[in-house]
Amino acid sequence: NSKGIAYGETKSFVTHTYAMPVLGATSASAVSYTSATLSGSITSAGDLAVTSRGFVYGTTPNPTTANTKVAVGAGVGSFTTNLTTLSNGTTYYVRSFAQNSKDVVYSTETTFTTPAYGLATVGTTTVSNISFTSATVAASITADGGQTVTERGFVYATTPNPTTTNSKITVGSGTGSFNSELKNLEPSTLYYVLAYAI
């Protein structure tokens, strides 16, 4: 009024906090040398719409959207993605994320390890149809170790443990069973033979 400004009693209040999205557990399946399938879910959007969701991953704990991010749509519900450019023999840390107009939240972390490339697995060599100067040999490649078998066959010699520096017969490539005939052998001679895979 003409004398000044008068104020009533001060009261305080707190505005509501936005409820953030609720995420389920993140899981990894079908893990191979360079790929994996990730699964996650958002069970509640909270007070604001989920505008982006997906996965974050890296080789160190607690990845965020500043690491490698794969977006998988928006909204609530379950979602999956396939990672196809991973490194073999590597441990990855993964979290799913949900983002709204205010912030981003993450699920609990899970880890998985891609297997390391290894040597092919070569089965036992069998020998049959032995004659004076020949014999039939057979074997199989049961696993490729994560990379294509580019050459396979048999090596043989008159000394134990022959290698590809001894007599060698190439029989195609890839996994599976294969056989060949050793020819021009010496009569009455002990030979050592085994299969190989490169």
Side-chain angles (χ1 to χ4, degrees), residues 55-132:
F55 303 94
V56 291
Y57 66 96
T59 56
T60 54
N62 300 314
T64 69
T65 53
N67 297 99
T68 304
K69 180 178 80 169
V70 179
V72 189
V76 298
S78 299
F79 51 99
T80 64
T81 193
N82 294 317
L83 307 180
T84 58
T85 57
L86 304 177
S87 298
N88 77 94
T90 303
T91 297
Y92 287 93
Y93 300 83
V94 183
R95 298 195 290 181
S96 52
F97 75 89
Q99 188 167 10
N100 58 27
S101 59
K102 292 297 181 181
D103 206 352
V104 58
V105 291
Y106 301 94
S107 71
T108 55
E109 183 177 81
T110 189
T111 63
F112 67 91
T113 302
T114 55
Y117 288 134
L119 296 176
T121 303
V122 183
T124 302
T125 301
T126 60
V127 184
S128 61
N129 301 324
I130 302 170
S131 71
F132 297 101

